[in-house]
Amino acid sequence: MQLNGSEIVIECLKEQGVDTVFGYPGGTILNIYDELYKHQSEIRHILTSHEQGAAHAADGYARSTGKVGVCFATSGPGATNLVTGIATAYMDSVPLIAITANVAVPLLGRDTFQEIDIAGVTMPITKHNYIVKDVTKLADTIRKAFTIAKSGRPGPVLIDITKDVTAAVTEYEPAVPAPIHRVTDTIVQEHLEQAVDMINRSKRPYIFVGGGAIISGASAEVEEFAHKIHAPVTDSLMGKGAFPGTDPLYTGMLGMHGTKTSNLGVTECDLLIALGVRFSDRVTGNIKRFARNAKVLQIDVDPAEINKNVMTSLSIIGDLKEVLKRLNALIEQNQRHTWVSHILELKEKYPLKYNENGLSCPYIIEELYRITKGEAVITTDVGQHQMWAAQYYQYTKPRTFLTSGGLGTMGYGLGACIGAKVGCPDKLVVNIAGDGCFRMNMNELATATRYNIPIIQMVINNHVLGMVRQWQTLFYGQRYSYTVLNDPVDFVKLAEAMGAEGIRVTKKEEVAPAIEKAIALNKPVVIDFQIDCDDKVFPMVSPGASIEEAFDQKDLENRG
């Protein structure tokens, strides 16, 4: 059949099972939007307040559902406004398709109005990208983009389409999406057998779980593996929910703001089993002293991660779920009572703790966990609140904690929260943000109210850039250079002005009623929690220090 380029875009999206697109229209993409208008009963479009919000919403949709997120933007500034969202998805291996339109082919390279080489701009932050200048290649390009975004280690793909291609006509043949196969041809039986031998010989193994376990859908296999070899489990920020946070073998997060138990345990272990992790600097601390008593067994789908940051003793390349299935079939049940008892003693000795006098973020998150029974999808922005959300909410299922782990994007959370709620309408979705982060994306509150998307926006309002202030307090002689936000901005009035409900909380006894009211309202709600500006995230590892040197407030006081 004969279709124009815009019709081909929509038909290809329908082929791929796309039901939602987040975006913002403009001149060069108008043909595609005109065609989208005719298919609004099949593909829902969410008009965000800013293109960056569209990218984050598509990202949140993808992380929460496991599907590919899709966003649209026009040329020039519309396209460049997607860049931070694309980079966020790239760093955290999120399958995302960004479709932009560009000026017509004869106008390329002429400094045309709103022209930008967005393919060139995004080359370092996409898994692949395309500029389509020939309508006959459009359908195949879109299909390839979806395959690339979903396969192996997922990631974002950008498709830039010139405006004349969106209007040009060609023959279109419908196609069934190519199946996505798990990466198994790289799994070597000899390596599996060597891994089993390493595990059997180990007296003090530790399992370190990352985001790859969630991406591969390997949660059940991770749990079976941990109980079969009877080893304690720690996770990265991206790995939260891959292993139940309520399991006795779970010891909390690893790294700069990880638990003392995990940091000490990994330092003492003789075998570190790394499952879908990238060994970020926030996890390892001083790389030369990280897990220095251990052999490292790393399992990852991406060979580029092997020996990138931490040298391995043995690696297995392949889909984590499939690798663990094969390992679980080979491994015999083991008991390591002495080692596990030692780790449990550390858990008893070094629990997470905070100042319980007055309103604090850890208390708020503990109440949120209690009220939601751990069933909510939590999104966050970046900073102190992000770490507290990782520490004090117990994640028992994958795809329930969405955060910018790699890029650390302030302004990520609200867009991602909207995307997650659109993708999972039957789940309670809550964004936890600091006041500094909320200022970066609060325009997306208008998106939530426009479509009556019932999300809860919790603002942990300490009137400062909290994490930066914490560093300024500890390492910069309390010189608070441009981190104080003590101005008359009123988030409750802002919420009301944008059509949402606003609630202010200043006391501990107000926390539970506020959260319960927000849930019952079933509409966009902003809760402004007023906390002290000098609350700190502990434990903490100083930059350049080894992770076993994690300290807390009591340690600081003891140092004098």
Side-chain angles (χ1 to χ4, degrees), residues 199-213:
I199 293 165
N200 288 339
R201 289 175 180 271
S202 169
K203 290 182 168 46
R204 302 185 308 279
Y206 225 109
I207 299 170
F208 175 32
V209 183

Side-chain angles (χ1 to χ4, degrees), residues 69-81:
V70 180
C71 56
F72 283 0
T74 195
S75 62
T80 58
N81 281 344

